[in-house]
């Protein structure tokens, strides 16, 4: 039987792409994401390809080591489907609802290939261009808020006294650096069924420090423009019993596809057309991927019928 060899790094990025397409809730924290990969990815290789190649993925994740993984013809073409089943199982068993809905904010990792800083209407406007992106990232700070850049400068071994110099000097020091920026929900455009995101006005050296800063701003009521409750969500009335283990159900949605309902203990994942679209813990709901308000009546119907049947 014909076979294909792929290096472990390529398979790792392939798995990441499958997960993103499936709306898998990758941990935002980098260390937690690494631990998740070390737990899940070698197991996918062992079960969906062959146990002999588990070691290649383990050594790549641990040491960045080079190794090849062999896919037989049928394994190569079923790998995506098999991987999704593992992503689904991990989500059912391990995912937990965050402090804020999953779609209420997201983090981007970028490089400052070009930067311009100018004063406009009493604010300092930082326009940062990554050559891999079509549009620049723009953040606005008051002069008093420049201190927010100090942790980022210190992480990159840059003297923070640079903030007292000209804007051109600051821009020159920032050019070429990698950074993280966060976008959060301001509103939901019901006509276009689209979330409107605003940019959190700071940059950070790590995703974790950025989330911590954002959370502190929200809790301190310094970010009144953050409106996570704007995202439309179904009302889940059913309180699932912890006695039932993994089970699957289906409900038709009048031409929109079949809604698959996967339940494990108190967690439920909603899936349609090869994507996870929602996660439920007891009565709490969060969208996975782009919100689908058109499916809200069917989701509510599914949980109402389950409640009546229990």
């Amino acid at each position: 039987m014909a076979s294909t060899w792929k290096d472990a790094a390529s398979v790792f990025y392939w798995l990441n792409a499958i997960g993103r397409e499936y709306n898998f809730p990758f941990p935002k924290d980098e260390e937690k994401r690494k631990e998740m990969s070390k737990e899940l990815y070698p197991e996918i290789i062992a079960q969906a390809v062959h146990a002999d190649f588990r070691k290649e993925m383990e050594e790549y994740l641990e040491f960045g080591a080079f190794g090849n993984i062999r896919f037989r013809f049928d394994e190569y073409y079923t790998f995506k489907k098999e991987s999704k089943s593992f992503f689904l199982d991990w989500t059912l068993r391990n995912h937990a609802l965050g402090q804020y809905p999953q779609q209420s904010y997201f983090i981007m990792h970028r490089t400052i290939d070009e930067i311009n800083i100018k004063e406009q209407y009493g604010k300092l406007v930082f326009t940062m261009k990554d050559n891999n992106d079509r549009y620049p990232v723009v953040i606005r700070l008051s002069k008093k808020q420049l201190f927010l850049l100090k942790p980022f400068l210190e992480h990159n071994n840059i003297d923070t006294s640079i903030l007292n110099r000209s804007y051109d000097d600051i821009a020159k020091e920032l050019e070429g650096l990698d950074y993280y920026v966060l976008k959060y929900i301001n509103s939901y455009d019901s006509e276009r069924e689209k979330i409107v995101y605003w940019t959190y006005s700071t940059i950070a050296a790590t995703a974790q420090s950025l989330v911590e800063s954002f959370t502190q701003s929200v809790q301190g009521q310094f970010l009144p423009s953050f409106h996570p409750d704007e995202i439309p969500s179904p009302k889940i009335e059913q309180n699932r019993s912890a006695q039932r283990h993994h089970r699957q159900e289906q409900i038709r949605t009048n031409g929109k596809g079949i809604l698959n309902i996967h339940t494990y203990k108190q967690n439920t994942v909603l899936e349609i057309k090869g994507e996870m679209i929602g996660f439920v813990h007891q009565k709490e709901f969060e969208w996975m991927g782009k919100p689908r308000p058109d499916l809200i009546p069917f989701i509510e119907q599914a949980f109402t019928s389950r409640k009546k049947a229990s």
Side-chain angles (χ1 to χ4, degrees):
M1 182 180 290
S3 60
T4 300
W5 291 85
K6 291 179 72 71
D7 61 272
S10 296
V11 178
F12 169 77
Y13 289 113
W14 189 11
L15 283 169
N16 287 344
I18 293 170
R20 287 193 297 271
E21 178 186 312
Y22 195 43
N23 296 326
F24 179 70
F26 287 104
K28 288 185 171 73
D29 181 82
E30 292 174 280
E31 289 303 315
K32 290 181 180 178
R33 182 166 179 158
K34 288 179 182 177
E35 290 304 312
M36 180 279 301
S37 298
K38 290 178 181 178
E39 173 189 341
L40 181 58
Y41 285 12
E43 186 64 22
I44 293 177
I45 297 302
Q47 299 295 327
V49 185
H50 197 285
D52 289 350
F53 298 105
R54 178 198 292 268
K55 185 178 179 182
E56 273 69 22
M57 181 56 69
E58 289 176 340
E59 293 188 345
Y60 170 74
L61 293 170
E62 190 68 38
F63 309 110
F66 178 83
N68 283 320
I69 297 172
R70 186 189 68 199
F71 291 80
R72 297 185 185 278
F73 181 84
D74 58 335
E75 294 166 347
Y76 186 85
Y77 286 99
T78 60
F79 185 68
K80 184 175 180 178
K81 181 179 179 181
E82 292 293 322
S83 298
K84 285 184 176 182
S85 68
F86 281 91
F87 281 126
L88 171 64
D89 186 68
W90 192 96
T91 304
L92 282 168
R93 294 172 183 273
N94 299 285
H95 183 52
L97 296 173
Q99 188 172 9
Y100 307 111
Q102 186 181 350
Q103 291 300 312
S104 63
Y105 73 92
F106 65 92
I107 298 169
M108 302 188 302
H109 185 199
R110 296 293 184 267
T111 301
I112 304 176
D113 291 319
E114 300 175 29
I115 179 171
N116 175 266
I117 305 173
K118 64 180 180 180
E119 192 169 349
Q120 190 177 67
Y121 304 115
K123 293 278 190 177
L124 298 181
V125 182
F126 290 66
T127 303
M128 298 170 288
K129 182 72 170 68
D130 185 315
N131 290 336
N132 293 316
D133 278 358
R134 184 176 179 181
Y135 300 106
V137 171
V138 179
I139 65 169
R140 292 172 172 82
L141 298 169
S142 68
K143 291 182 180 180
K144 291 183 179 180
Q145 289 178 313
L146 272 177
F147 76 92
L148 294 173
L149 296 179
K150 285 186 176 181
F152 179 73
L153 295 174
E154 290 169 349
H155 180 89
N156 288 283
N157 299 314
I158 297 174
D159 189 344
T160 57
S161 65
I162 190 69
L163 296 176
N164 298 319
R165 296 169 63 179
S166 71
Y167 302 148
D168 287 343
D169 287 342
I170 298 174
K172 191 173 182 179
E173 289 290 340
L174 294 177
E175 194 171 295
L177 299 179
D178 285 355
Y179 70 99
Y180 290 87
V181 68
L182 183 148
K183 288 183 175 286
Y184 62 89
I185 179 174
N186 168 259
S187 59
Y188 182 81
D189 187 332
S190 57
E191 290 186 4
R192 296 190 297 164
E193 296 186 350
K194 184 178 180 181
I195 296 176
V196 178
Y197 288 102
W198 284 15
T199 303
Y200 180 53
S201 289
T202 193
I203 58 176
T206 67
Q208 182 177 357
S209 62
L210 184 60
V211 171
E212 290 173 355
S213 173
F214 173 71
T215 302
Q216 289 173 4
S217 294
V218 174
Q219 292 176 343
Q221 298 184 346
F222 302 126
L223 209 62
S225 52
F226 178 51
H227 302 296
D229 294 335
E230 285 279 314
I231 305 174
S233 296
K235 294 179 181 179
I236 305 299
E237 299 296 337
Q238 186 178 28
N239 189 354
R240 296 294 300 146
S241 169
Q243 301 301 314
R244 293 184 176 178
H245 286 253
H246 194 170
R247 73 174 195 172
Q248 300 179 36
E249 304 162 78
Q250 292 184 337
I251 184 170
R252 296 188 179 277
T253 58
N254 297 343
K256 300 179 186 295
I258 295 176
L259 184 66
N260 296 295
I261 306 164
H262 306 271
T263 300
Y264 177 76
K265 294 187 176 179
Q266 296 184 2
N267 293 336
T268 298
V269 168
L270 305 172
E271 179 190 43
I272 193 168
K273 292 186 176 180
E275 290 184 37
M276 292 191 287
I277 63 162
F279 180 81
V280 183
H281 176 73
Q282 294 183 336
K283 296 181 181 180
E284 297 183 63
F285 177 90
E286 74 172 9
W287 291 107
M288 306 174 74
K290 180 182 178 181
R292 294 285 304 273
D294 57 316
L295 293 177
I296 287 178
F298 303 104
I299 295 171
E300 292 178 341
Q301 175 189 337
F303 281 87
T304 300
S305 61
R306 293 167 111 210
K307 185 175 183 180
K308 290 179 180 177
S310 60

